[in-house]
Amino acid sequence: MPALQDAPLQTLFLPFSHAGLRWPAGPVLFLRARDGWPLREHAAPGQLVCAQSFRPFADALGRSGWQVVDEDALDADDTRYALVLVLPPRQRDEARALFARALSSLAPGGIVVACQSNNEGARSGESDLQQLAGLGGKLTKNHCRAYWTAPADGRHDEALRKRWAALDAPRGIVDGRFQSRPGVFAWDRIDPASALLVEQLPVDLAGRGADLGAGWGYLSAEVLARCPKVTALDLYEAESRALALARRNLAGSSAKLDFRWHDVTAGIDGRYDFVVSNPPFHTPAREDRPDIGQRFIAVAAQALRPGGQLFMVANRHLPYEQILNESFGQVRVAAERDGFKVIVGTRGGRA
């Protein structure tokens, strides 16, 4: 039997057809929402409020006509929902904070329904929701686990909810030099691949540059600290939670900065003197996708001026050589260490 395209999403809705849960008539909140046919089978037009911080998923939801909001903006929303759907992330502190948010968004008598794949922390998620609010039921199918609360009656552990709500708050890392939060890439450390790339950056980088997949801003911060001739830097990042951190981490820079919540694989505008990148090679669902990194390389080449350079780092095994050679006039490996390689591509006149 072929694998389901989005097994957690499809399993999330099974309690309404297999376990007797009733779909409400009023507004429904969907945290970490993803688009798919189960939404159209259950939700009426205008009923779903979808919170999604990852730009490709948010764009897909918007194209299908669903309302998409920023997750942190829900703090100022006093709407209470009879149903809150959750696709929890793998990172446990982040997931616990999401459960706390879901519970605080419930109307009296409302329920939280969550689902995770078995290899993405489903048992831990079920245990955490049970500890916080008690369970009304669960089911397993498609190598996933769906679980839900009993109707909210105000008897949940409010002290625990408040503690968990603070678990993904921004906090200082690297001796307070940067702000980060659980769930973003390399949230509590300097990623060793990015550190290797920084070691290879020439100090004479100048002009306007771009950071593709900027995360919480480490590469950009190092470019600005090491390369005083850089006058402008555009940060492209698909995860808005990370981009908000980058804004904080680069505050006070004398260079002109532009923070762009954007899916790089869709292409970028602008002409750059240089590009730096530690491109992703999997989705937030941890699906292996080397084609994402390949697309980053092609987009970087298109955005560079003739003679402009791409400085990127990647796992040594990833199949990037063909697209690099097709996209750049010159390609060289500048460094290799601990399974990573730093590649420098120079755009030719006809790239």
Side-chain angles (χ1 to χ4, degrees):
M1 179 180 295
L4 294 174
Q5 185 175 7
D6 191 335
L9 175 67
Q10 296 180 30
T11 308
L12 176 69
F13 286 83
L14 290 182
F16 300 98
S17 58
H18 288 58
L21 293 188
R22 296 184 61 183
W23 188 267
V28 173
L29 178 62
F30 191 176
L31 299 176
R32 303 296 167 93
R34 299 199 289 266
D35 190 36
W37 59 263
L39 279 69
R40 292 180 285 278
E41 280 200 346
H42 290 83
Q47 184 181 29
L48 271 183
V49 177
C50 299
Q52 178 53 257
S53 57
F54 184 59
R55 189 60 188 260
F57 292 167
D59 286 347
L61 289 160
R63 287 192 297 268
S64 291
W66 305 113
Q67 179 186 355
V68 183
V69 300
D70 183 83
E71 187 176 297
D72 289 337
L74 294 172
D75 292 334
D77 181 13
D78 59 3
T79 304
R80 294 296 175 262
Y81 301 86
L83 172 62
V84 179
L85 303 169
V86 188
L87 290 173
R90 182 185 182 93
Q91 211 285 336
R92 196 166 189 180
D93 282 351
E94 184 188 12
R96 285 176 163 177
L98 203 65
F99 286 144
R101 183 184 296 279
L103 195 62
S104 66
S105 300
L106 278 183
I111 63 171
V112 176
V113 182
C115 184
Q116 293 166 279
S117 64
N118 292 337
N119 61 359
E120 291 293 313
R123 286 189 178 273
S124 295
E126 178 190 327
S127 175
D128 285 345
L129 189 59
Q130 182 173 19
Q131 181 183 358
L132 180 64
L135 288 187
K138 59 185 177 182
L139 64 80
T140 58
K141 195 173 179 63
N142 307 321
H143 305 289
C144 297
R145 182 178 296 261
Y147 46 95
W148 56 93
T149 64
D153 58 6
R155 290 188 290 180
H156 63 271
D157 189 335
E158 178 61 13
L160 183 64
R161 188 201 64 79
K162 289 181 178 179
R163 290 199 301 273
W164 283 9
L167 286 177
D168 77 337
R171 78 284 307 268
I173 63 169
V174 194
D175 296 326
R177 181 183 172 194
F178 299 106
Q179 290 285 304
S180 188
R181 66 192 298 188
V184 301
F185 174 69
W187 79 269
D188 58 351
R189 65 193 186 282
I190 303 289
D191 171 59
S194 296
L196 179 62
L197 175 56
V198 163
E199 293 174 11
Q200 303 302 317
L201 292 177
V203 296
D204 60 353
L205 283 180
R208 183 186 181 198
D211 184 350
L212 306 187
W216 50 259
Y218 170 70
L219 277 180
S220 290
E222 291 290 352
V223 166
L224 296 172
R226 295 165 181 259
C227 309
K229 294 182 181 179
V230 172
T231 57
L233 192 61
D234 295 343
L235 286 77
Y236 293 85
E237 173 54 47
E239 176 52 64
S240 66
R241 298 171 75 250
L243 193 64
L245 293 165
R247 287 181 181 274
R248 298 175 65 164
N249 289 328
L250 274 67
S253 171
S254 60
K256 181 181 178 181
L257 303 179
D258 196 1
F259 299 87
R260 303 186 180 187
W261 185 43
H262 186 76
D263 176 10
V264 169
T265 66
I268 64 176
D269 297 324
R271 273 286 178 260
Y272 296 103
D273 299 299
F274 68 91
V275 171
V276 296
S277 185
N278 181 358
F281 57 92
H282 53 72
T283 68
R286 304 178 69 85
E287 176 190 5
D288 220 17
R289 290 282 303 279
D291 60 297
I292 297 177
Q294 292 166 345
R295 179 62 181 153
F296 267 56
I297 293 167
V299 167
Q302 294 163 3
L304 283 166
R305 295 187 175 96
Q309 290 186 302
L310 166 67
F311 299 85
M312 67 167 287
V313 65
N315 289 50
R316 189 156 39 199
H317 72 276
L318 290 171
Y320 291 161
E321 282 72 15
Q322 180 176 346
I323 186 65
L324 282 162
N325 290 326
E326 290 174 352
S327 302
F328 291 91
Q330 297 178 4
V331 177
R332 65 181 177 89
V333 176
E336 293 187 70
R337 188 174 70 213
D338 300 330
F340 303 113
K341 56 186 175 184
V342 174
I343 301 164
V344 181
T346 303
R347 186 184 190 271
R350 294 182 297 171

